[in-house]
Amino acid sequence: LRVSQCVLFCSTKRMTSLTFVDPKAADDFECQICLSTIQNAVQIGCNDHLFCQQCIMQYAQSHSHRGSFPCPICRCQSEKKSIIRVKGIDRQINKLQVKCPNHNIDSPDYSNKQSNSSHNKSESQNVVMKTKLRRRKRLAGKKRKMPEDEDDERNDDDDDDDDSNRNTRKKRKLDVCDWIGCYSDLKQHIDSCPYQLVQCQWCRIKLMRRAHDGHIAECLLCELPCRQCNHNIARIVMNRHLKEKCPMRQVPCARCGGLVVSQRMKDHSQFDCPESLIRCRYRKYGCCMWLKRKDEENHYRSCKDMHLEQVIKKHDEASEKYEEAREKYEHERLNCKDLERRLSEAANEATEKYEEANDKYKSERLKCKDLERRLNEAIDDAD
């Protein structure tokens, strides 16, 4: 098994290119499996070579069917229990001076930044071309300008291009990080480096950390709280949400034309809209009129006599029904009292008959006992 093939056993390890101030000193701490700086240094049975703990554990796991594994460099056989952590090596590695990964304009991260900036530049160029086309359409049919004017415009465009190129060169000089520090502080620096590429959580575009806040302020997919309903809505659809979907937006009522909150439209139509049709509240007394809510008071004033007659009529009918119900109640009450009296008499009669039958039973029982005694005496005399 070759050393170059050992990299396959550490495919899950992230390999990053680092620039050390002293590359020769850093080469002494290079893992020969992943070809990166050693992390969590360990030593195996041969006692001569150092590896990353994760790399050698995966390498040993691939040879677990044999019980032992060969050293990836010297081929000496070692066992898994011979893997020993060497924390002193970790301390030496942590003291190495390293540069920020964003220090070089030729790095892959910087090329990604330039690709993003070129993409933005191409978009701006498209906007400029569209603006020029619209200006040409407006000038179509008008008097043609003099050649001097055209030369002046052409010179102005050239000056703008020179200024943009000059600004681009200045930005390139600034888009690098000059941080140098210990290897142990590198992760903390990368987490706060303003030149590190970060990803927008909304549109997934990668950009430098220092431009992240400005991008969030303009990102079309960034979710913002709606000023009316307080729901989180993407900036690109916020206007449509406010006009069409927001439950707290003001919409005109189809009947009265007044502005009403969208989610309260049903309650407005049922209880507040002056143009909604409602029934007269005297309908249970006989009024079958349908009227608009705004005409309700006029209806009650104009029809108060009719309503009064209907109420009196319903009152008379209710009084008659009450008298009939009261008579029925009195009749039923008398019947109940008669049934209670008859039931009480029947209970008393049954009690008397029970007592008479009980007395007869007791007397007959005594007679039976006396006859039994006399029979036993007669048997004794006969013997």
Side-chain angles (χ1 to χ4, degrees):
L1 186 65
R2 296 181 180 178
V3 176
S4 60
Q5 295 174 343
C6 295
V7 181
L8 297 175
F9 299 110
C10 198
S11 58
T12 60
K13 184 180 179 66
R14 184 181 178 185
M15 300 177 64
T16 57
S17 59
L18 299 177
T19 302
F20 291 90
V21 177
D22 188 0
K24 293 182 179 180
D27 291 341
D28 296 337
F29 302 106
E30 184 179 57
C31 175
Q32 295 302 317
I33 296 179
C34 64
L35 303 180
S36 298
T37 306
I38 294 176
Q39 296 182 5
N40 299 327
V42 295
Q43 189 177 17
I44 60 176
C46 65
N47 297 328
D48 289 331
H49 303 109
L50 300 172
F51 304 95
C52 300
Q53 185 178 18
Q54 181 182 0
C55 296
I56 200 65
M57 292 299 291
Q58 292 181 2
Y59 178 76
Q61 187 68 25
S62 65
H63 294 79
S64 59
H65 60 282
R66 300 179 183 177
S68 62
F69 61 94
C71 174
I73 299 176
C74 65
R75 315 306 297 163
C76 292
Q77 293 294 324
S78 302
E79 296 182 355
K80 194 172 182 179
K81 62 182 180 180
S82 65
I83 300 175
I84 303 173
R85 282 277 285 117
V86 186
K87 295 185 179 180
I89 300 298
D90 291 341
R91 288 192 289 270
Q92 296 181 33
I93 294 174
N94 289 333
K95 292 180 181 179
L96 294 176
Q97 295 291 306
V98 64
K99 296 181 180 180
C100 176
N102 302 306
H103 78 286
N104 191 357
I105 62 174
D106 296 329
S107 62
D109 294 344
Y110 188 83
S111 63
N112 291 332
K113 298 172 190 175
Q114 294 301 321
S115 63
N116 291 332
S117 62
S118 63
H119 175 69
N120 297 332
K121 184 177 179 181
S122 62
E123 290 184 352
S124 62
Q125 289 177 351
N126 292 334
V127 173
V128 171
M129 290 299 296
K130 291 180 181 179
T131 305
K132 289 182 177 180
L133 289 174
R134 287 196 298 268
R135 185 172 61 184
R136 289 176 182 176
K137 289 181 180 179
R138 289 197 304 268
L139 295 176
K142 295 184 177 180
K143 184 178 179 180
R144 182 175 177 83
K145 293 184 177 181
M146 297 300 291
E148 294 83 2
D149 297 337
E150 294 180 357
D151 293 338
D152 293 339
E153 289 184 358
R154 195 176 296 110
N155 293 330
D156 293 339
D157 294 338
D158 294 338
D159 294 339
D160 293 338
D161 294 338
D162 294 338
D163 293 338
S164 62
N165 293 332
R166 195 176 301 108
N167 293 332
T168 302
R169 286 195 295 271
K170 289 182 180 179
K171 289 182 179 179
R172 285 185 179 179
K173 293 180 181 179
L174 296 175
D175 286 346
V176 292
C177 181
D178 56 357
W179 179 87
I180 296 177
C182 295
Y183 179 76
S184 58
D185 300 331
L186 178 60
K187 185 178 183 302
Q188 182 179 0
H189 167 72
I190 290 177
D191 292 339
S192 60
C193 179
Y195 300 95
Q196 180 65 21
L197 284 181
V198 295
Q199 190 176 40
C200 175
Q201 61 176 328
W202 307 111
C203 63
R204 303 302 179 185
I205 290 178
K206 291 185 178 181
L207 67 162
M208 286 188 290
R209 181 178 280 111
R210 65 176 186 175
H212 181 263
D213 294 339
H215 170 75
I216 290 297
E218 300 176 355
C219 180
L220 296 179
L221 299 182
C222 177
E223 293 185 357
L224 303 174
C226 176
R227 62 174 180 269
Q228 294 180 354
C229 64
N230 207 28
H231 292 169
N232 291 331
I233 307 297
R235 181 182 280 111
I236 192 173
V237 296
M238 180 63 75
N239 292 333
R240 181 181 177 186
H241 168 77
L242 292 173
K243 293 180 180 178
E244 301 178 5
K245 297 183 178 181
C246 181
M248 299 300 294
R249 70 187 188 277
Q250 298 284 337
V251 295
C253 176
R255 294 186 177 92
C256 64
L259 294 178
V260 186
V261 176
S262 177
Q263 66 178 5
R264 298 175 184 170
M265 181 61 72
K266 185 177 180 180
D267 294 338
H268 169 76
S269 300
Q270 188 174 358
F271 301 108
D272 300 326
C273 183
E275 297 294 332
S276 296
L277 291 177
I278 59 173
R279 294 191 65 180
C280 178
R281 64 188 178 193
Y282 289 96
R283 60 182 179 275
K284 61 182 179 181
Y285 300 109
C287 183
C288 300
M289 289 284 293
W290 283 88
L291 62 151
K292 293 182 179 181
R293 183 174 280 108
K294 65 180 182 180
D295 300 331
E296 187 177 11
E297 295 298 330
N298 294 332
H299 169 73
Y300 294 147
R301 285 196 297 267
S302 61
C303 300
K304 61 181 180 180
D305 295 335
M306 181 184 68
H307 292 160
L308 182 59
E309 292 177 359
Q310 291 174 347
V311 170
I312 293 173
K313 183 178 178 181
K314 284 290 182 181
H315 178 266
D316 295 339
E317 293 177 357
S319 299
E320 292 177 359
K321 291 181 180 179
Y322 170 76
E323 291 296 332
E324 292 178 0
R326 191 172 66 81
E327 291 177 359
K328 289 181 181 180
Y329 168 74
E330 291 293 334
H331 178 71
E332 294 297 333
R333 188 171 66 83
L334 294 176
N335 288 339
C336 288
K337 287 185 176 181
D338 183 55
L339 289 175
E340 288 178 358
R341 181 183 57 79
R342 291 168 60 184
L343 181 61
S344 177
E345 292 176 355
N348 294 333
E349 184 179 357
T351 302
E352 293 176 357
K353 289 181 179 181
Y354 169 75
E355 291 177 354
E356 291 177 359
N358 192 23
D359 293 339
K360 289 181 180 181
Y361 167 74
K362 289 180 180 179
S363 62
E364 292 296 332
R365 184 178 180 183
L366 292 174
K367 289 180 181 181
C368 290
K369 287 184 178 181
D370 184 53
L371 290 174
E372 184 178 359
R373 180 179 59 77
R374 292 169 62 185
L375 178 60
N376 291 332
E377 291 177 353
I379 293 173
D380 294 336
D381 293 341
D383 294 337

